[in-house]
Amino acid sequence: MALQQQQEDEDHELVYTLDEALTSLGFGKFQYLVLVYAGLGSMVDAVEVMILSFIGPALKSQWGLSSTQESLITTVVFSGMLIGAYFWGLVADNYGRRKGLLTVAIVTTISAFLSSFSPNYISLLILRMLVGIGLGGGPVYGSWFLEFVPSKNRGTWMVIYSTFWTIGTILEALLAMIIMPSLGWRWLLALSSIPSFAALFLYTFTVESPRYLCAKGRISDAHDILRRIAIVNKTKLPPGILVTDQVTHELNEELLSPGKNKTSNFKTGLSSFLMLLSPRLRRITLLTWVVYFGNSFSYYGIILLTSQLSAGENRCFSVALNAKKHTGLYRDVFITSLAELPGLLFSVLVVEKVGRKFSMALMYVLGFLFLFPLVVPQNEVLSTVLLFGARIWVIGTFTLAGVYCPEIYPTSVRTTGYGVASSVGRIAGMVSPLVAVQLVRGCHQMAAIILFEVVLILSAISVLLFPVETKGRELVDHVSL
């Protein structure tokens, strides 16, 4: 009895951090369940974005829309994502990851389902913009999953999480091939909202991030969740008591304005944004914006270039376009989506062995090399091969940026930083068609490709300028630079 009491006293003298707890608990059944739910959220994003490739042409034909009106359906979704990415980051950082997940699921599910009943063009635009606002919460899913993963092989698991996006694009293309020819766009919208409903219904099984709880000083609540993880994984917590990542109060004051207590102001959107631009985070934030702009600009641009350059027509010499059957469109989108799988596989292989920074820089260079021959017009087959190759490497940089960005930011502003970076990427998504479509159709293919090449090189340089490599690095609650 005396020995047992002595052992308990010794255990109380021991302490362990959250990262040590997660390492001890391992990646088990609990994390697999978290992965599935977060992956479901990523699939929702992919499905709702991919819909834009299919409903535009159908609505243009059925409702007699102009090309500008058709394009606006896509624009309002990206505009909504621009707003949502910033807003949901603030919600998740200030009120908890679970509340962020719930509100994102509610907005996305309701607006996505109601879109299928849109009686006219204006109502469709409003509902699709609300869908975009909901989709802007995608970074919340990624940050939430990240905070349950042990530091060892964290990059690999984040890449695996990213594969749910590609799975969503492939499944949506298959669904469109089946639904659109017979049932039309309303049924496609309705059936595509099923993953959103699933995310909403399964929300009750989610738990708050223990890292977020530690960052808020709720150590007891975080410990309770860690004990639940231990039970599900059939593992044990380290002996002792849980302690949080301690950062001095003066450091938090320094982030905003020296000499004043601004802690209470961190809960406002302005102060969270100012923290991203504080001296200790400014470099990371600005470089991350460049990278996310470059990734989105290149990714969506390459998809559009595929339709512009691989259709076997030279629009500079032929005004009439060879009409493709809709089934051909769905098939092309399906095949294009499959091109992302090799990029994801390569990312899995290099993310932990080579590291985030060098891997991204390497893939930017490879993407640059694949696009370069397109400075001059090529035949259809070679154009298709080069564009597919470029997409392989661009999806790789997109994926690794999604690993690096939430890792580099502290817990207190993780989803805000991730969300704002995603917002910058949405701006690139809106700008990219002006280059990929308008310049190429205006017989300025060389100028379009050169601009894409400049963006890729600037992104590669920005990656190399990041101050730290996050491979194997423990996540921090406040600032670790």
Side-chain angles (χ1 to χ4, degrees), residues 57-198:
L59 287 170
K60 183 178 182 180
S61 175
Q62 181 175 334
W63 287 353
L65 303 180
S66 66
S67 297
T68 301
Q69 288 176 315
E70 179 189 1
S71 300
L72 192 57
I73 298 173
T74 299
T75 301
V76 296
V77 174
F78 277 100
S79 299
M81 295 170 76
L82 176 66
I83 298 169
Y86 176 63
F87 177 75
W88 300 125
L90 295 176
V91 171
D93 279 338
N94 292 317
Y95 302 103
R97 310 308 193 222
R98 285 196 81 226
K99 289 182 179 179
L101 294 175
L102 177 60
T103 49
V104 166
I106 290 174
V107 172
T108 306
T109 302
I110 294 176
S111 53
F113 183 69
L114 291 180
S115 295
S116 62
F117 298 98
S118 300
N120 52 51
Y121 176 71
I122 297 300
S123 63
L124 179 67
L125 288 182
I126 294 173
L127 288 170
R128 294 314 294 178
M129 185 170 186
L130 290 174
V131 170
I133 291 175
L135 297 180
V140 179
Y141 288 98
S143 297
W144 178 70
F145 170 66
L146 175 76
E147 293 173 355
F148 285 94
V149 182
S151 58
K152 182 180 180 181
N153 298 326
R154 185 174 60 221
T156 299
W157 285 112
M158 287 299 291
V159 173
I160 292 174
Y161 158 74
S162 300
T163 62
F164 282 88
W165 169 277
T166 298
I167 293 172
T169 62
I170 294 172
L171 292 178
E172 183 63 19
L174 287 173
L175 184 63
M177 291 175 64
I178 298 170
I179 298 299
M180 287 294 287
S182 56
L183 298 177
W185 63 271
R186 292 186 186 276
W187 275 98
L188 181 65
L189 287 176
L191 294 175
S192 297
S193 66
I194 291 177
S196 299
F197 276 104

Side-chain angles (χ1 to χ4, degrees), residues 161-368:
Y161 158 74
S162 300
T163 62
F164 282 88
W165 169 277
T166 298
I167 293 172
T169 62
I170 294 172
L171 292 178
E172 183 63 19
L174 287 173
L175 184 63
M177 291 175 64
I178 298 170
I179 298 299
M180 287 294 287
S182 56
L183 298 177
W185 63 271
R186 292 186 186 276
W187 275 98
L188 181 65
L189 287 176
L191 294 175
S192 297
S193 66
I194 291 177
S196 299
F197 276 104
L200 182 58
F201 291 145
L202 294 175
Y203 165 80
T204 56
F205 298 101
T206 64
V207 297
E208 185 55 87
S209 160
R211 186 172 295 279
Y212 168 82
L213 294 172
C214 282
K216 294 298 182 180
R218 297 166 57 184
I219 308 300
S220 177
D221 292 336
H223 183 260
D224 290 340
I225 292 176
L226 292 174
R227 284 192 301 179
R228 291 174 61 180
I229 297 175
I231 293 172
V232 175
N233 288 358
K234 298 181 179 180
T235 53
K236 292 183 179 181
L237 287 169
I241 59 175
L242 174 66
V243 295
T244 186
D245 175 33
Q246 296 294 329
V247 179
T248 64
H249 180 68
E250 289 76 19
L251 179 58
N252 282 334
E253 292 179 341
E254 178 186 337
L255 286 172
L256 293 181
S257 59
K260 295 183 180 180
N261 185 352
K262 297 286 186 176
T263 303
S264 60
N265 291 338
F266 286 161
K267 292 187 177 181
T268 68
L270 179 61
S271 62
S272 296
F273 185 79
L274 289 176
M275 184 183 289
L276 297 179
L277 296 176
S278 66
R280 291 179 179 269
L281 293 178
R282 185 185 301 126
R283 178 180 175 184
I284 286 174
T285 296
L286 296 178
L287 290 174
T288 301
W289 289 356
V290 174
V291 169
Y292 266 77
F293 185 94
N295 284 340
S296 295
F297 187 84
S298 304
Y299 178 77
Y300 294 111
I302 287 172
I303 292 175
L304 292 170
L305 282 173
T306 302
S307 64
Q308 296 297 310
L309 302 181
S310 300
E313 308 122 353
N314 189 329
R315 292 175 174 80
C316 296
F317 296 96
S318 175
V319 176
L321 300 181
N322 296 328
K324 287 187 175 184
K325 295 181 179 179
H326 284 166
T327 53
L329 169 64
Y330 310 144
R331 182 187 63 246
D332 290 347
V333 174
F334 173 72
I335 294 174
T336 303
S337 299
L338 291 177
E340 297 184 6
L341 295 176
L344 293 172
L345 177 60
F346 184 81
S347 300
V348 170
L349 295 177
V350 301
V351 65
E352 295 295 354
K353 294 182 180 179
V354 179
R356 284 58 156 159
K357 291 176 56 178
F358 182 78
S359 297
M360 280 192 283
L362 174 62
M363 286 189 279
Y364 279 125
V365 172
L366 291 172
F368 176 94

Side-chain angles (χ1 to χ4, degrees), residues 215 245-247 251-252 281 409-413 476-480:
D245 175 33
Q246 296 294 329
V247 179
L251 179 58
N252 282 334
L281 293 178
Y409 278 115
T411 303
S412 56
V413 292
V476 294
D477 291 338
H478 296 282
V479 177
S480 179

